Amino acid sequence: MTTLVRRAVALCALAASSVALAACGATEPGQTPRPAPSAPSATASGAAPDRAPTLAPGPAGLTPVFEHGPRAAGRTIALTFDADMTADQGPRAAAGERFDNPGLIATLRKLDVPATVFMTGRWAEEYPDAARSIGEDPRFEIANHSYSHYAYTDDCYGLPSVSEDRMRADVERAYAAFEKAGVPDAMPYFRFPGGCYDEAALKALRATGVTAVQWDVVSGDAFATDAGAVARQVLDGARPGSVVVMHCTRSAAPVTEEAVRTIVPALRKQGYRFVKVSQLIGAANGRR
């Protein structure tokens, strides 16, 4: 079997503290991990209509990876937003640092833009009301971005890493956090922190039934200060079926809302229709 090469992605991952939790990815004492919401394997006719569409497993049953939708299935595009918060950033939040971005969510609602939010479990714990509100809004869907935003490979933008034997537990712990926050129907999609993965990570997660979701358009909004530059990067990279990666973390992506106010009307003027990741995956499976 050909060894999968870890995706080297030109995205500055949101920085995590160098102090890792000793029990990163572990459940709390006495807590039973909640399995990820596994979905049946997709077929040419698409997944069952009452389940979120997923991709069929990769070679040897490895977790499948989705990067973009069909190029010839119309001018659809998915905006995705990573709601990042690492496991040890609680003191910074307590001191007033904002890892949420209610203004961005309000703008997406005002512009009536569907979107997929890849949320860490730690973010959902810090902002349970926001997590529940996003999850209950039919415009949006919430997917898994790990519990702790620790990397699933070594050497991933300086992020602390999760050991291979803790990867599944880290994903399950995030789903448990969503459930505790009252998020309904979190999607069976997972985004690797920093976008970094390898064959070992895909193997570790295959029992969860998730589809790993990457992207083909990097917005460059992480730590950016020029909203116009972010907007231009998205507009220059957009293609039919694209998945755009942005962030829903005010302190580390402060100009995203402003950029979105430029991106959305510009893409609509070009004939693009905004959809959620689930719709792109459904289209890839032949679902309409």
Side-chain angles (χ1 to χ4, degrees):
M1 181 176 62
T2 303
T3 300
L4 296 174
V5 179
R6 175 169 62 87
R7 296 284 299 174
V9 187
L11 173 68
C12 181
L14 297 181
S17 167
S18 60
V19 181
L21 288 183
C24 171
T27 55
E28 299 296 338
Q31 179 186 2
T32 301
R34 178 187 184 276
S38 303
S41 297
T43 65
S45 61
D50 61 336
R51 301 298 299 271
T54 56
L55 296 185
L62 295 182
T63 298
V65 180
F66 180 78
E67 294 184 355
H68 61 76
R71 299 299 191 191
R75 295 176 75 81
T76 56
I77 192 166
L79 298 185
T80 70
F81 298 89
D82 292 357
D84 295 343
M85 187 172 179
T86 60
D88 55 350
Q89 288 177 331
R92 288 166 57 180
E97 185 171 350
R98 299 306 300 257
F99 297 93
D100 63 342
N101 195 337
L104 170 62
I105 299 301
T107 292
L108 292 170
R109 286 172 168 149
K110 182 177 180 180
L111 295 174
D112 196 21
V113 179
T116 302
V117 178
F118 286 87
M119 187 178 294
T120 67
R122 184 65 188 86
W123 196 100
E125 288 178 347
E126 190 70 28
Y127 305 108
D129 293 342
R132 183 171 59 255
S133 175
I134 293 168
E136 290 175 345
D137 191 325
R139 296 179 189 84
F140 306 132
E141 60 190 9
I142 290 178
N144 196 313
H145 194 33
S146 79
Y147 174 77
S148 57
H149 202 258
Y150 291 175
Y152 282 52
T153 65
D154 294 328
D155 191 24
C156 181
Y157 303 106
L159 290 170
S161 61
V162 179
S163 63
E164 185 178 340
D165 64 342
R166 298 309 254 171
M167 291 176 183
R168 180 178 177 181
D170 190 63
V171 173
E172 291 170 343
R173 188 177 180 186
Y175 280 117
F178 301 156
E179 185 173 47
K180 185 176 181 180
V183 173
D185 304 320
M187 304 300 282
Y189 307 141
F190 178 76
R191 174 164 284 167
F192 287 99
C196 304
Y197 68 91
D198 56 18
E199 184 175 315
L202 295 179
K203 182 179 179 180
L205 298 189
R206 62 186 176 183
T208 67
V210 297
T211 291
V213 176
Q214 296 287 92
W215 55 82
D216 65 314
V217 178
V218 176
S219 70
D221 68 333
F223 307 109
T225 57
D226 184 344
V230 172
R232 286 191 297 274
Q233 188 153 316
V234 172
L235 296 174
D236 289 346
R239 297 175 61 192
S242 281
V243 175
V244 181
V245 60
M246 307 182 82
H247 292 84
C248 184
T249 311
R250 198 185 331 173
S251 64
V255 301
T256 304
E257 179 192 352
E258 183 181 351
V260 163
R261 285 193 256 112
T262 298
I263 291 165
V264 169
L267 287 176
R268 281 177 169 158
K269 189 174 181 179
Q270 295 176 28
Y272 280 95
R273 179 171 62 91
F274 294 97
V275 297
K276 293 175 275 193
V277 164
S278 58
Q279 293 167 276
L280 287 185
I281 293 178
N285 287 340
R287 259 175 95 177
R288 293 292 183 265

